[in-house]
Amino acid sequence: MWEAAARQTLLAFAGISAGIASAGGLFAFIVELGVVADFADRTHTGDHILFYEDCAALGGIFGSLVYIFRFPVPLGQLGLGVVGLFSGIFVGCWAMALSEILNVFPVFLRRARMVRYLAAFTISIAVGKGAGAALFFMEGW
């Protein structure tokens, strides 16, 4: 009986430790990409950067708790749409920050000799991402 309790306690400790380590790595990656700082810079609200970082951390914590423990969040259809919109904006900005850091687009466009069409290429990616997300989420309707 004590062996089972000790095993469960050890597994719980290992799971929490692994979760903290992976979440810390993810938020360190987000900070390294400069997503939050870039938003503050572009909106000229750099004096609120600590608030933005706190909101990002609390959003990650809240999202993890809802996902793991399946807490009901009664927001209705409108709330679901708002959460989906903000999640999509966050993921899109994160992907664009990653590609900006890695210089994926400039290297690709130079190699493909498409430098003159940079604006059209960027807009095409955004429209394609939006259309793909709309098709994915409207599939069940």
Side-chain angles (χ1 to χ4, degrees):
M1 181 166 129
W2 289 102
E3 282 185 21
R7 183 178 301 163
Q8 291 298 319
T9 304
L10 182 63
L11 285 174
F13 181 74
I16 289 172
S17 299
I20 289 171
S22 62
L26 175 65
F27 282 108
F29 187 57
I30 290 172
V31 169
E32 180 64 29
L33 285 178
V35 174
V36 177
D38 195 31
F39 284 158
D41 182 46
R42 291 183 188 205
T43 59
H44 306 294
T45 55
D47 51 333
H48 300 292
I49 188 111
L50 293 177
F51 174 71
Y52 297 151
E53 289 174 352
D54 290 343
C55 287
L58 289 174
I61 291 167
F62 180 71
S64 296
L65 290 175
V66 168
Y67 181 76
I68 291 171
F69 295 111
R70 308 283 184 193
F71 292 132
V73 183
L75 297 176
Q77 293 289 332
L78 181 64
L80 182 63
V82 170
V83 169
L85 177 69
F86 287 145
S87 298
I89 289 170
F90 176 74
V91 170
C93 291
W94 195 32
M96 294 308 287
L98 178 60
S99 65
E100 184 178 313
I101 294 296
L102 297 177
N103 292 325
V104 171
F105 293 134
V107 171
F108 172 74
L109 292 175
R110 252 185 275 125
R111 302 270 175 149
R113 296 190 173 119
M114 295 173 42
V115 176
R116 288 192 300 178
Y117 306 108
L118 178 62
F121 185 74
T122 305
I123 290 171
S124 298
I125 289 173
V127 169
K129 180 175 174 36
L135 286 173
F136 178 79
F137 288 110
M138 291 182 164
E139 182 179 327
W141 288 20

